[in-house]
Amino acid sequence: MNRLGFKMKLKTGNEKEYKSRHDRLWPELKALLCDSGIYDYSIFLDRETGILFGTLKLRPDHSYHELPSNPLMKKWWDYMKDLMDTNPDHSPVSIPLDEVFYLE
């Protein structure tokens, strides 16, 4: 099992809409994420800074790195681009974080 942590940036004033869109996560996107080996996935918001902190676990046989080329993933990014800092391909600017401690 691999664990990943990363941060993203939410644009000011989009906190409620960001949560609302994730509360209504498309079932086909949820299936894609799960089928790609992702589980135990959480996103936290620092309301003071707009920083989103994500953490997820990957199954050993994951295909996580193939997600950026999936049309459904690209559709989700396009749907979310107005709420957060994004790259030219509309993927969220996502900065990997180094794990320094873990208590199991």
Side-chain angles (χ1 to χ4, degrees):
M1 169 209 45
N2 292 334
R3 288 193 336 270
L4 299 178
F6 55 93
K7 66 179 181 174
M8 302 174 290
K9 179 77 166 94
L10 191 62
K11 294 178 181 174
T12 304
N14 289 305
E15 297 82 4
K16 286 183 183 178
E17 183 61 22
Y18 184 87
K19 180 166 179 4
S20 175
R21 291 184 191 184
H22 281 81
D23 286 347
R24 300 183 322 260
L25 187 69
W26 306 334
E28 61 271 25
L29 181 58
K30 180 179 179 181
L32 174 66
L33 296 173
C34 292
D35 291 347
S36 297
I38 295 172
Y39 69 103
D40 197 13
Y41 185 4
S42 298
I43 301 173
F44 298 88
L45 170 64
D46 178 346
R47 292 188 180 277
E48 194 174 315
T49 65
I51 297 294
L52 297 161
F53 166 70
T55 181
L56 57 86
K57 293 180 181 177
L58 294 168
R59 299 191 193 293
D61 61 342
H62 71 84
S63 56
Y64 170 80
H65 298 293
E66 296 173 17
L67 285 173
S69 63
N70 187 289
L72 182 58
M73 192 81 260
K74 291 178 181 185
K75 183 177 176 182
W76 177 258
W77 291 342
D78 192 52
Y79 177 57
M80 297 298 290
K81 70 183 179 191
D82 60 321
L83 304 181
M84 54 196 312
D85 291 352
T86 60
N87 296 303
D89 68 354
H90 302 254
S91 65
V93 173
S94 179
I95 300 164
L97 300 173
D98 295 329
E99 183 175 300
V100 295
F101 175 77
Y102 176 63
L103 176 65
E104 186 170 18

